[in-house]
Amino acid sequence: MSVFAPASPFADFIYHHFRAIHALKLGLALLIAVTINAIWSPPHFIWSMVTIVIIMMSLPQVGGAIEKSLQRAVGTCLGSAYGVMLVATIDSYWLIMGLLILGVTLICFISAGRYSYAYLVAGFTIIIVVGDANHDTSEALWRTANILLGCVIAILVSLFIFPIKAKQDWRSQLANAIDNMAKVLTQHLQAPANHDLDFRAELEAAMKAVLTQKKLFFSLEWESQTLKKHKVLLAELVNKQVRLITLLELLPLSRWQEADKEAYHQINKVAAELTAYLHMLSEFVAGKTATLPTLPNALEQELQHRLQLSLAAQTPNSAPFANEVAQGFALTGYGWLIYQLAIAVEALYADIEIIEIAYSGQTVLHKTAKPS
């Protein structure tokens, strides 16, 4: 099923109440840990509960919980193995501590990027296992086992109990960003000449939604093989949204006089079509429409031609030469801005179409369509 397919009522319920559901899931995971402790009472069982809280507290999505659980498990196993090896094979206190410091230092040096959390866990696990170098490895092994148990509980609860999907959040943030962009363009077109509207709230909301999309990338890879294969495209999609937001930030700077009204009116007809395209795209991404709307063939060339026609012979013959140049520059600059917006909207459509086609397994079809 496509990531843009209309969400089920159950998925919508989970997404709209994810904070409460996430808190309940964390409580349930801790209850499972407490029950296991009540039945078997393994030593150092508190580490299971600590692990559950660390993994689940800040990561409600399934993919994020899996990612962090695996990194914690791998880091724990590697750190524990190195620590046990030191205390089991070396008698010298200073040699053990020297190798401990060397190991943690090397981990610090190579710790970077996506797996930095695994390196962090490996580093402090070595210190926990070695302790004061008293050669008692049973405590370290029990801690390791309990940490792994906590990872398993966190993954199972995240996967099977009211799963909160990063895909749902990602598409919602994408639709939110596009919708805010469309609002900015709509407000601009409805405002009078030389308006003094402030679009910062809408543009900041759009940028916040874009940044949230970036934070979900790792979780998306664990939840969808299709999106994992297109992770480069997801990054490009973010960059194109940022470009659109940057272009929209220039809209309040556009000014025209009453004498220029007709020329700008012609240009704004093109901008109004872009607004309709953005609204349709937002509806599709949010799952409110079943099929991806299509853009006209050769949209760039068509808009460029229409903008050139709207700018031709718009400067009054009676105006002084300096005013003609200033007016022509303003009109041309505004036309360029709308044209660049059209290119950015088309690029956004193209990336979303690739993702949709990747899910459906169909070939790309370009159809001519106009917004109604």
Side-chain angles (χ1 to χ4, degrees):
M1 179 182 291
S2 171
V3 68
F4 301 121
S8 66
F10 179 68
D12 272 337
F13 174 81
I14 291 177
Y15 180 71
H16 288 106
H17 301 86
F18 82 93
R19 291 186 181 277
I21 291 174
H22 179 223
L24 290 174
K25 290 174 66 173
L26 176 60
L28 176 61
L30 291 174
L31 178 61
I32 293 173
V34 168
T35 303
I36 293 174
N37 184 41
I39 296 173
W40 285 289
S41 299
H44 308 291
F45 195 79
I46 193 67
W47 281 97
S48 291
M49 301 179 69
V50 169
T51 298
I52 290 170
V53 172
I54 290 175
I55 291 173
M56 296 186 65
M57 181 71 79
S58 60
L59 293 169
Q61 296 88 4
V62 171
I66 295 175
E67 168 91 7
K68 195 164 187 178
S69 294
L70 292 178
Q71 288 203 39
R72 187 170 180 86
V74 170
T76 298
C77 290
L78 293 178
S80 178
Y82 183 74
V84 170
M85 183 270 294
L86 291 181
V87 297
T89 60
I90 299 174
D91 293 327
S92 170
Y93 171 83
W94 287 109
L95 181 57
I96 290 177
M97 290 303 174
L99 291 174
L100 179 151
I101 294 172
L102 177 62
V104 174
T105 303
L106 288 175
I107 289 173
C108 178
F109 178 75
I110 64 176
S111 175
R114 176 171 182 172
Y115 303 106
S116 57
Y117 181 67
Y119 292 120
L120 170 66
V121 173
F124 71 68
T125 299
I126 294 173
I127 296 174
I128 291 172
V129 169
V130 172
D132 59 357
N134 61 7
H135 296 273
D136 182 8
T137 60
S138 62
E139 180 177 338
L141 294 176
W142 273 114
R143 285 179 176 176
T144 301
N146 285 317
I147 289 173
L148 295 178
L149 178 60
C151 291
V152 171
I153 294 173
I155 290 176
L156 292 178
V157 171
S158 296
L159 271 174
F160 299 111
I161 307 298
F162 293 103
I164 302 171
K165 298 295 184 70
K167 292 187 294 183
Q168 180 80 352
D169 195 11
W170 174 78
R171 65 181 283 183
S172 178
Q173 297 298 335
L174 177 58
N176 185 30
I178 297 172
D179 187 55
N180 275 287
M181 295 178 208
K183 286 180 181 177
V184 169
L185 198 50
T186 300
Q187 292 178 32
H188 169 74
L189 295 176
Q190 293 175 348
N194 294 315
H195 67 76
D196 193 25
L197 294 179
D198 188 352
F199 301 133
R200 281 180 298 179
E202 291 81 3
L203 293 175
E204 286 175 1
M207 184 60 75
K208 182 179 179 181
V210 172
L211 294 176
T212 303
Q213 293 171 45
K214 291 185 68 175
K215 295 178 182 178
L216 295 171
F217 283 175
F218 290 156
S219 296
L220 291 172
E221 290 183 28
W222 285 101
E223 292 183 13
S224 171
Q225 287 298 312
T226 301
L227 292 178
K228 183 177 182 179
K229 293 176 182 177
H230 292 80
K231 58 183 179 182
V232 175
L233 185 64
L234 294 180
E236 292 177 356
L237 191 59
V238 163
N239 294 334
K240 288 170 183 177
Q241 291 173 78
V242 172
R243 172 173 169 75
L244 257 173
I245 293 172
T246 303
L247 291 169
L248 290 171
E249 287 177 335
L250 300 175
L251 284 178
L253 303 178
S254 60
R255 294 288 185 270
W256 62 87
Q257 303 300 322
E258 190 64 28
D260 312 323
K261 184 176 180 180
E262 182 58 31
Y264 277 93
H265 178 69
Q266 296 298 324
I267 297 174
N268 284 342
K269 285 183 178 180
V270 176
E273 293 186 22
L274 296 180
T275 303
Y277 293 138
L278 284 173
H279 277 303
M280 290 192 299
L281 187 60
S282 174
E283 293 281 305
F284 169 74
V285 171
K288 297 178 181 178
T289 56
T291 57
L292 176 68
T294 53
L295 295 176
N297 290 326
L299 175 65
E300 291 181 31
Q301 292 83 348
E302 179 187 337
L303 292 180
Q304 186 178 29
H305 177 67
R306 290 171 56 188
L307 290 170
Q308 287 173 343
L309 289 178
S310 68
L311 294 172
Q314 290 294 336
T315 304
N317 294 329
S318 59
F321 177 75
N323 289 339
E324 291 181 8
V325 173
Q327 185 186 53
F329 177 79
L331 289 170
T332 305
Y334 185 61
W336 174 88
L337 175 58
I338 299 303
Y339 177 60
Q340 292 299 319
L341 281 171
I343 294 175
V345 170
E346 190 174 37
L348 200 63
Y349 259 81
D351 284 355
I352 292 175
E353 183 181 27
I354 292 172
I355 294 174
E356 173 67 6
I357 289 171
Y359 275 95
S360 65
Q362 299 174 356
T363 55
V364 180
L365 297 176
H366 296 287
K367 299 179 181 178
T368 301
K370 298 282 186 179
S372 55

PDB file of all heavy atoms in Angstrom, residues 329-361:
ATOM      1  N   PHE A 329      11.857  46.524 -14.702  1.00  0.00           N
ATOM      2  CA  PHE A 329      12.662  45.665 -13.834  1.00  0.00           C
ATOM      3  C   PHE A 329      11.792  45.013 -12.762  1.00  0.00           C
ATOM      4  O   PHE A 329      11.917  43.822 -12.467  1.00  0.00           O
ATOM      5  CB  PHE A 329      13.771  46.483 -13.172  1.00  0.00           C
ATOM      6  CG  PHE A 329      14.602  45.699 -12.200  1.00  0.00           C
ATOM      7  CD1 PHE A 329      15.596  44.847 -12.641  1.00  0.00           C
ATOM      8  CD2 PHE A 329      14.375  45.789 -10.831  1.00  0.00           C
ATOM      9  CE1 PHE A 329      16.355  44.114 -11.748  1.00  0.00           C
ATOM     10  CE2 PHE A 329      15.121  45.054  -9.934  1.00  0.00           C
ATOM     11  CZ  PHE A 329      16.130  44.219 -10.400  1.00  0.00           C
ATOM     12  N   ALA A 330      10.863  45.792 -12.163  1.00  0.00           N
ATOM     13  CA  ALA A 330       9.983  45.243 -11.127  1.00  0.00           C
ATOM     14  C   ALA A 330       9.099  44.150 -11.692  1.00  0.00           C
ATOM     15  O   ALA A 330       8.943  43.083 -11.095  1.00  0.00           O
ATOM     16  CB  ALA A 330       9.145  46.363 -10.525  1.00  0.00           C
ATOM     17  N   LEU A 331       8.518  44.407 -12.852  1.00  0.00           N
ATOM     18  CA  LEU A 331       7.646  43.415 -13.467  1.00  0.00           C
ATOM     19  C   LEU A 331       8.419  42.163 -13.847  1.00  0.00           C
ATOM     20  O   LEU A 331       7.973  41.037 -13.626  1.00  0.00           O
ATOM     21  CB  LEU A 331       6.962  44.013 -14.700  1.00  0.00           C
ATOM     22  CG  LEU A 331       5.886  45.074 -14.417  1.00  0.00           C
ATOM     23  CD1 LEU A 331       5.471  45.742 -15.714  1.00  0.00           C
ATOM     24  CD2 LEU A 331       4.689  44.460 -13.725  1.00  0.00           C
ATOM     25  N   THR A 332       9.590  42.377 -14.423  1.00  0.00           N
ATOM     26  CA  THR A 332      10.405  41.234 -14.830  1.00  0.00           C
ATOM     27  C   THR A 332      10.849  40.423 -13.614  1.00  0.00           C
ATOM     28  O   THR A 332      10.835  39.190 -13.625  1.00  0.00           O
ATOM     29  CB  THR A 332      11.632  41.702 -15.615  1.00  0.00           C
ATOM     30  OG1 THR A 332      11.196  42.496 -16.711  1.00  0.00           O
ATOM     31  CG2 THR A 332      12.439  40.521 -16.135  1.00  0.00           C
ATOM     32  N   GLY A 333      11.243  41.128 -12.547  1.00  0.00           N
ATOM     33  CA  GLY A 333      11.672  40.427 -11.333  1.00  0.00           C
ATOM     34  C   GLY A 333      10.543  39.624 -10.711  1.00  0.00           C
ATOM     35  O   GLY A 333      10.741  38.485 -10.281  1.00  0.00           O
ATOM     36  N   TYR A 334       9.350  40.195 -10.671  1.00  0.00           N
ATOM     37  CA  TYR A 334       8.206  39.477 -10.111  1.00  0.00           C
ATOM     38  C   TYR A 334       7.837  38.283 -10.995  1.00  0.00           C
ATOM     39  O   TYR A 334       7.522  37.205 -10.498  1.00  0.00           O
ATOM     40  CB  TYR A 334       7.007  40.425  -9.973  1.00  0.00           C
ATOM     41  CG  TYR A 334       5.828  39.800  -9.285  1.00  0.00           C
ATOM     42  CD1 TYR A 334       5.929  39.329  -7.976  1.00  0.00           C
ATOM     43  CD2 TYR A 334       4.610  39.670  -9.926  1.00  0.00           C
ATOM     44  CE1 TYR A 334       4.851  38.761  -7.332  1.00  0.00           C
ATOM     45  CE2 TYR A 334       3.515  39.094  -9.292  1.00  0.00           C
ATOM     46  CZ  TYR A 334       3.646  38.648  -7.990  1.00  0.00           C
ATOM     47  OH  TYR A 334       2.580  38.070  -7.350  1.00  0.00           O
ATOM     48  N   GLY A 335       7.884  38.494 -12.311  1.00  0.00           N
ATOM     49  CA  GLY A 335       7.630  37.380 -13.223  1.00  0.00           C
ATOM     50  C   GLY A 335       8.646  36.264 -13.037  1.00  0.00           C
ATOM     51  O   GLY A 335       8.306  35.079 -13.060  1.00  0.00           O
ATOM     52  N   TRP A 336       9.926  36.635 -12.839  1.00  0.00           N
ATOM     53  CA  TRP A 336      10.975  35.631 -12.591  1.00  0.00           C
ATOM     54  C   TRP A 336      10.665  34.852 -11.315  1.00  0.00           C
ATOM     55  O   TRP A 336      10.818  33.630 -11.269  1.00  0.00           O
ATOM     56  CB  TRP A 336      12.325  36.325 -12.463  1.00  0.00           C
ATOM     57  CG  TRP A 336      13.438  35.404 -12.056  1.00  0.00           C
ATOM     58  CD1 TRP A 336      14.243  34.653 -12.855  1.00  0.00           C
ATOM     59  CD2 TRP A 336      13.852  35.113 -10.701  1.00  0.00           C
ATOM     60  NE1 TRP A 336      15.128  33.916 -12.113  1.00  0.00           N
ATOM     61  CE2 TRP A 336      14.910  34.174 -10.777  1.00  0.00           C
ATOM     62  CE3 TRP A 336      13.433  35.546  -9.451  1.00  0.00           C
ATOM     63  CZ2 TRP A 336      15.554  33.682  -9.660  1.00  0.00           C
ATOM     64  CZ3 TRP A 336      14.078  35.047  -8.324  1.00  0.00           C
ATOM     65  CH2 TRP A 336      15.123  34.130  -8.435  1.00  0.00           C
ATOM     66  N   LEU A 337      10.212  35.561 -10.264  1.00  0.00           N
ATOM     67  CA  LEU A 337       9.908  34.902  -8.999  1.00  0.00           C
ATOM     68  C   LEU A 337       8.788  33.873  -9.179  1.00  0.00           C
ATOM     69  O   LEU A 337       8.897  32.732  -8.693  1.00  0.00           O
ATOM     70  CB  LEU A 337       9.509  35.943  -7.956  1.00  0.00           C
ATOM     71  CG  LEU A 337       9.045  35.423  -6.589  1.00  0.00           C
ATOM     72  CD1 LEU A 337      10.133  34.576  -5.941  1.00  0.00           C
ATOM     73  CD2 LEU A 337       8.660  36.587  -5.671  1.00  0.00           C
ATOM     74  N   ILE A 338       7.731  34.256  -9.875  1.00  0.00           N
ATOM     75  CA  ILE A 338       6.620  33.327 -10.087  1.00  0.00           C
ATOM     76  C   ILE A 338       7.068  32.151 -10.957  1.00  0.00           C
ATOM     77  O   ILE A 338       6.677  30.993 -10.732  1.00  0.00           O
ATOM     78  CB  ILE A 338       5.422  34.050 -10.733  1.00  0.00           C
ATOM     79  CG1 ILE A 338       4.927  35.169  -9.804  1.00  0.00           C
ATOM     80  CG2 ILE A 338       4.297  33.075 -11.035  1.00  0.00           C
ATOM     81  CD1 ILE A 338       4.528  34.710  -8.422  1.00  0.00           C
ATOM     82  N   TYR A 339       7.913  32.426 -11.928  1.00  0.00           N
ATOM     83  CA  TYR A 339       8.424  31.359 -12.793  1.00  0.00           C
ATOM     84  C   TYR A 339       9.275  30.373 -11.987  1.00  0.00           C
ATOM     85  O   TYR A 339       9.156  29.149 -12.159  1.00  0.00           O
ATOM     86  CB  TYR A 339       9.243  31.971 -13.924  1.00  0.00           C
ATOM     87  CG  TYR A 339       9.890  30.964 -14.839  1.00  0.00           C
ATOM     88  CD1 TYR A 339       9.128  30.041 -15.552  1.00  0.00           C
ATOM     89  CD2 TYR A 339      11.276  30.932 -14.989  1.00  0.00           C
ATOM     90  CE1 TYR A 339       9.723  29.119 -16.385  1.00  0.00           C
ATOM     91  CE2 TYR A 339      11.881  30.011 -15.821  1.00  0.00           C
ATOM     92  CZ  TYR A 339      11.104  29.106 -16.518  1.00  0.00           C
ATOM     93  OH  TYR A 339      11.696  28.191 -17.342  1.00  0.00           O
ATOM     94  N   GLN A 340      10.125  30.887 -11.111  1.00  0.00           N
ATOM     95  CA  GLN A 340      10.939  30.009 -10.273  1.00  0.00           C
ATOM     96  C   GLN A 340      10.067  29.204  -9.311  1.00  0.00           C
ATOM     97  O   GLN A 340      10.357  28.036  -9.019  1.00  0.00           O
ATOM     98  CB  GLN A 340      11.964  30.830  -9.482  1.00  0.00           C
ATOM     99  CG  GLN A 340      13.041  31.467 -10.337  1.00  0.00           C
ATOM    100  CD  GLN A 340      13.863  30.439 -11.091  1.00  0.00           C
ATOM    101  OE1 GLN A 340      14.211  29.383 -10.555  1.00  0.00           O
ATOM    102  NE2 GLN A 340      14.179  30.733 -12.342  1.00  0.00           N
ATOM    103  N   LEU A 341       9.002  29.806  -8.813  1.00  0.00           N
ATOM    104  CA  LEU A 341       8.057  29.062  -7.987  1.00  0.00           C
ATOM    105  C   LEU A 341       7.435  27.910  -8.774  1.00  0.00           C
ATOM    106  O   LEU A 341       7.254  26.809  -8.251  1.00  0.00           O
ATOM    107  CB  LEU A 341       6.955  29.994  -7.477  1.00  0.00           C
ATOM    108  CG  LEU A 341       7.305  30.881  -6.276  1.00  0.00           C
ATOM    109  CD1 LEU A 341       6.196  31.906  -6.042  1.00  0.00           C
ATOM    110  CD2 LEU A 341       7.514  30.045  -5.022  1.00  0.00           C
ATOM    111  N   ALA A 342       7.112  28.185 -10.052  1.00  0.00           N
ATOM    112  CA  ALA A 342       6.531  27.137 -10.897  1.00  0.00           C
ATOM    113  C   ALA A 342       7.508  25.979 -11.078  1.00  0.00           C
ATOM    114  O   ALA A 342       7.128  24.806 -10.998  1.00  0.00           O
ATOM    115  CB  ALA A 342       6.150  27.713 -12.255  1.00  0.00           C
ATOM    116  N   ILE A 343       8.775  26.306 -11.301  1.00  0.00           N
ATOM    117  CA  ILE A 343       9.792  25.255 -11.450  1.00  0.00           C
ATOM    118  C   ILE A 343       9.910  24.437 -10.163  1.00  0.00           C
ATOM    119  O   ILE A 343      10.009  23.202 -10.194  1.00  0.00           O
ATOM    120  CB  ILE A 343      11.151  25.885 -11.820  1.00  0.00           C
ATOM    121  CG1 ILE A 343      11.077  26.534 -13.209  1.00  0.00           C
ATOM    122  CG2 ILE A 343      12.258  24.846 -11.785  1.00  0.00           C
ATOM    123  CD1 ILE A 343      12.325  27.280 -13.599  1.00  0.00           C
ATOM    124  N   ALA A 344       9.891  25.129  -9.012  1.00  0.00           N
ATOM    125  CA  ALA A 344      10.018  24.432  -7.726  1.00  0.00           C
ATOM    126  C   ALA A 344       8.810  23.537  -7.455  1.00  0.00           C
ATOM    127  O   ALA A 344       8.953  22.423  -6.942  1.00  0.00           O
ATOM    128  CB  ALA A 344      10.189  25.459  -6.605  1.00  0.00           C
ATOM    129  N   VAL A 345       7.614  24.020  -7.794  1.00  0.00           N
ATOM    130  CA  VAL A 345       6.410  23.206  -7.607  1.00  0.00           C
ATOM    131  C   VAL A 345       6.460  21.973  -8.505  1.00  0.00           C
ATOM    132  O   VAL A 345       6.121  20.857  -8.080  1.00  0.00           O
ATOM    133  CB  VAL A 345       5.149  24.043  -7.910  1.00  0.00           C
ATOM    134  CG1 VAL A 345       3.913  23.147  -7.965  1.00  0.00           C
ATOM    135  CG2 VAL A 345       4.962  25.118  -6.846  1.00  0.00           C
ATOM    136  N   GLU A 346       6.896  22.152  -9.733  1.00  0.00           N
ATOM    137  CA  GLU A 346       6.996  21.022 -10.652  1.00  0.00           C
ATOM    138  C   GLU A 346       7.999  19.990 -10.143  1.00  0.00           C
ATOM    139  O   GLU A 346       7.769  18.778 -10.228  1.00  0.00           O
ATOM    140  CB  GLU A 346       7.400  21.526 -12.040  1.00  0.00           C
ATOM    141  CG  GLU A 346       7.287  20.463 -13.130  1.00  0.00           C
ATOM    142  CD  GLU A 346       7.563  21.038 -14.507  1.00  0.00           C
ATOM    143  OE1 GLU A 346       8.440  21.895 -14.620  1.00  0.00           O
ATOM    144  OE2 GLU A 346       6.900  20.602 -15.458  1.00  0.00           O
ATOM    145  N   ALA A 347       9.123  20.448  -9.595  1.00  0.00           N
ATOM    146  CA  ALA A 347      10.129  19.532  -9.055  1.00  0.00           C
ATOM    147  C   ALA A 347       9.574  18.761  -7.857  1.00  0.00           C
ATOM    148  O   ALA A 347       9.853  17.568  -7.679  1.00  0.00           O
ATOM    149  CB  ALA A 347      11.378  20.312  -8.654  1.00  0.00           C
ATOM    150  N   LEU A 348       8.778  19.450  -7.022  1.00  0.00           N
ATOM    151  CA  LEU A 348       8.157  18.798  -5.875  1.00  0.00           C
ATOM    152  C   LEU A 348       7.195  17.705  -6.339  1.00  0.00           C
ATOM    153  O   LEU A 348       7.185  16.593  -5.794  1.00  0.00           O
ATOM    154  CB  LEU A 348       7.411  19.849  -5.049  1.00  0.00           C
ATOM    155  CG  LEU A 348       7.081  19.501  -3.598  1.00  0.00           C
ATOM    156  CD1 LEU A 348       8.345  19.296  -2.782  1.00  0.00           C
ATOM    157  CD2 LEU A 348       6.245  20.612  -2.979  1.00  0.00           C
ATOM    158  N   TYR A 349       6.391  18.019  -7.334  1.00  0.00           N
ATOM    159  CA  TYR A 349       5.476  17.035  -7.916  1.00  0.00           C
ATOM    160  C   TYR A 349       6.248  15.813  -8.411  1.00  0.00           C
ATOM    161  O   TYR A 349       5.831  14.669  -8.184  1.00  0.00           O
ATOM    162  CB  TYR A 349       4.718  17.661  -9.092  1.00  0.00           C
ATOM    163  CG  TYR A 349       3.312  18.093  -8.784  1.00  0.00           C
ATOM    164  CD1 TYR A 349       3.068  19.303  -8.153  1.00  0.00           C
ATOM    165  CD2 TYR A 349       2.223  17.306  -9.123  1.00  0.00           C
ATOM    166  CE1 TYR A 349       1.778  19.722  -7.875  1.00  0.00           C
ATOM    167  CE2 TYR A 349       0.930  17.709  -8.856  1.00  0.00           C
ATOM    168  CZ  TYR A 349       0.709  18.925  -8.233  1.00  0.00           C
ATOM    169  OH  TYR A 349      -0.570  19.319  -7.965  1.00  0.00           O
ATOM    170  N   ALA A 350       7.353  16.054  -9.104  1.00  0.00           N
ATOM    171  CA  ALA A 350       8.113  14.965  -9.726  1.00  0.00           C
ATOM    172  C   ALA A 350       8.625  13.980  -8.675  1.00  0.00           C
ATOM    173  O   ALA A 350       8.542  12.759  -8.852  1.00  0.00           O
ATOM    174  CB  ALA A 350       9.270  15.534 -10.539  1.00  0.00           C
ATOM    175  N   ASP A 351       9.150  14.492  -7.557  1.00  0.00           N
ATOM    176  CA  ASP A 351       9.676  13.609  -6.518  1.00  0.00           C
ATOM    177  C   ASP A 351       8.560  12.801  -5.858  1.00  0.00           C
ATOM    178  O   ASP A 351       8.720  11.602  -5.585  1.00  0.00           O
ATOM    179  CB  ASP A 351      10.412  14.434  -5.461  1.00  0.00           C
ATOM    180  CG  ASP A 351      11.783  14.892  -5.934  1.00  0.00           C
ATOM    181  OD1 ASP A 351      12.188  14.476  -7.036  1.00  0.00           O
ATOM    182  OD2 ASP A 351      12.432  15.678  -5.221  1.00  0.00           O
ATOM    183  N   ILE A 352       7.443  13.444  -5.571  1.00  0.00           N
ATOM    184  CA  ILE A 352       6.326  12.733  -4.947  1.00  0.00           C
ATOM    185  C   ILE A 352       5.765  11.688  -5.909  1.00  0.00           C
ATOM    186  O   ILE A 352       5.372  10.590  -5.502  1.00  0.00           O
ATOM    187  CB  ILE A 352       5.241  13.732  -4.510  1.00  0.00           C
ATOM    188  CG1 ILE A 352       5.791  14.576  -3.350  1.00  0.00           C
ATOM    189  CG2 ILE A 352       3.964  13.016  -4.090  1.00  0.00           C
ATOM    190  CD1 ILE A 352       4.872  15.684  -2.900  1.00  0.00           C
ATOM    191  N   GLU A 353       5.766  12.004  -7.191  1.00  0.00           N
ATOM    192  CA  GLU A 353       5.293  11.039  -8.186  1.00  0.00           C
ATOM    193  C   GLU A 353       6.191   9.809  -8.223  1.00  0.00           C
ATOM    194  O   GLU A 353       5.706   8.671  -8.327  1.00  0.00           O
ATOM    195  CB  GLU A 353       5.241  11.687  -9.570  1.00  0.00           C
ATOM    196  CG  GLU A 353       4.678  10.766 -10.650  1.00  0.00           C
ATOM    197  CD  GLU A 353       4.670  11.419 -12.022  1.00  0.00           C
ATOM    198  OE1 GLU A 353       5.504  12.310 -12.269  1.00  0.00           O
ATOM    199  OE2 GLU A 353       3.825  11.022 -12.837  1.00  0.00           O
ATOM    200  N   ILE A 354       7.497  10.001  -8.106  1.00  0.00           N
ATOM    201  CA  ILE A 354       8.436   8.874  -8.103  1.00  0.00           C
ATOM    202  C   ILE A 354       8.158   7.960  -6.914  1.00  0.00           C
ATOM    203  O   ILE A 354       8.162   6.722  -7.036  1.00  0.00           O
ATOM    204  CB  ILE A 354       9.892   9.383  -8.074  1.00  0.00           C
ATOM    205  CG1 ILE A 354      10.240  10.073  -9.398  1.00  0.00           C
ATOM    206  CG2 ILE A 354      10.862   8.227  -7.821  1.00  0.00           C
ATOM    207  CD1 ILE A 354      11.587  10.763  -9.384  1.00  0.00           C
ATOM    208  N   ILE A 355       7.923   8.549  -5.737  1.00  0.00           N
ATOM    209  CA  ILE A 355       7.631   7.745  -4.548  1.00  0.00           C
ATOM    210  C   ILE A 355       6.328   6.981  -4.726  1.00  0.00           C
ATOM    211  O   ILE A 355       6.234   5.784  -4.399  1.00  0.00           O
ATOM    212  CB  ILE A 355       7.565   8.650  -3.304  1.00  0.00           C
ATOM    213  CG1 ILE A 355       8.938   9.251  -3.015  1.00  0.00           C
ATOM    214  CG2 ILE A 355       7.077   7.860  -2.090  1.00  0.00           C
ATOM    215  CD1 ILE A 355       8.947  10.278  -1.903  1.00  0.00           C
ATOM    216  N   GLU A 356       5.308   7.638  -5.263  1.00  0.00           N
ATOM    217  CA  GLU A 356       4.016   6.984  -5.475  1.00  0.00           C
ATOM    218  C   GLU A 356       4.150   5.834  -6.468  1.00  0.00           C
ATOM    219  O   GLU A 356       3.603   4.743  -6.270  1.00  0.00           O
ATOM    220  CB  GLU A 356       3.001   8.014  -5.978  1.00  0.00           C
ATOM    221  CG  GLU A 356       1.659   7.427  -6.405  1.00  0.00           C
ATOM    222  CD  GLU A 356       0.868   6.839  -5.250  1.00  0.00           C
ATOM    223  OE1 GLU A 356       1.282   6.976  -4.078  1.00  0.00           O
ATOM    224  OE2 GLU A 356      -0.178   6.223  -5.511  1.00  0.00           O
ATOM    225  N   ILE A 357       4.904   6.046  -7.537  1.00  0.00           N
ATOM    226  CA  ILE A 357       5.090   5.003  -8.549  1.00  0.00           C
ATOM    227  C   ILE A 357       5.901   3.836  -7.991  1.00  0.00           C
ATOM    228  O   ILE A 357       5.663   2.675  -8.324  1.00  0.00           O
ATOM    229  CB  ILE A 357       5.767   5.593  -9.800  1.00  0.00           C
ATOM    230  CG1 ILE A 357       4.787   6.507 -10.533  1.00  0.00           C
ATOM    231  CG2 ILE A 357       6.266   4.508 -10.738  1.00  0.00           C
ATOM    232  CD1 ILE A 357       5.402   7.311 -11.642  1.00  0.00           C
ATOM    233  N   ALA A 358       6.851   4.138  -7.101  1.00  0.00           N
ATOM    234  CA  ALA A 358       7.652   3.070  -6.493  1.00  0.00           C
ATOM    235  C   ALA A 358       6.765   2.113  -5.699  1.00  0.00           C
ATOM    236  O   ALA A 358       7.025   0.907  -5.657  1.00  0.00           O
ATOM    237  CB  ALA A 358       8.721   3.680  -5.594  1.00  0.00           C
ATOM    238  N   TYR A 359       5.722   2.642  -5.071  1.00  0.00           N
ATOM    239  CA  TYR A 359       4.795   1.789  -4.332  1.00  0.00           C
ATOM    240  C   TYR A 359       3.861   1.020  -5.252  1.00  0.00           C
ATOM    241  O   TYR A 359       3.528  -0.134  -4.997  1.00  0.00           O
ATOM    242  CB  TYR A 359       3.969   2.630  -3.357  1.00  0.00           C
ATOM    243  CG  TYR A 359       4.638   2.866  -2.028  1.00  0.00           C
ATOM    244  CD1 TYR A 359       5.380   4.017  -1.798  1.00  0.00           C
ATOM    245  CD2 TYR A 359       4.555   1.931  -1.003  1.00  0.00           C
ATOM    246  CE1 TYR A 359       6.003   4.237  -0.577  1.00  0.00           C
ATOM    247  CE2 TYR A 359       5.177   2.136   0.213  1.00  0.00           C
ATOM    248  CZ  TYR A 359       5.893   3.298   0.415  1.00  0.00           C
ATOM    249  OH  TYR A 359       6.517   3.513   1.624  1.00  0.00           O
ATOM    250  N   SER A 360       3.428   1.655  -6.330  1.00  0.00           N
ATOM    251  CA  SER A 360       2.461   1.006  -7.220  1.00  0.00           C
ATOM    252  C   SER A 360       3.119   0.079  -8.234  1.00  0.00           C
ATOM    253  O   SER A 360       2.465  -0.806  -8.787  1.00  0.00           O
ATOM    254  CB  SER A 360       1.658   2.076  -7.973  1.00  0.00           C
ATOM    255  OG  SER A 360       2.494   2.823  -8.835  1.00  0.00           O
ATOM    256  N   GLY A 361       4.423   0.296  -8.494  1.00  0.00           N
ATOM    257  CA  GLY A 361       5.126  -0.536  -9.470  1.00  0.00           C
ATOM    258  C   GLY A 361       4.776  -0.219 -10.900  1.00  0.00           C
ATOM    259  O   GLY A 361       5.071  -1.001 -11.811  1.00  0.00           O
TER     260      GLY A 361
END
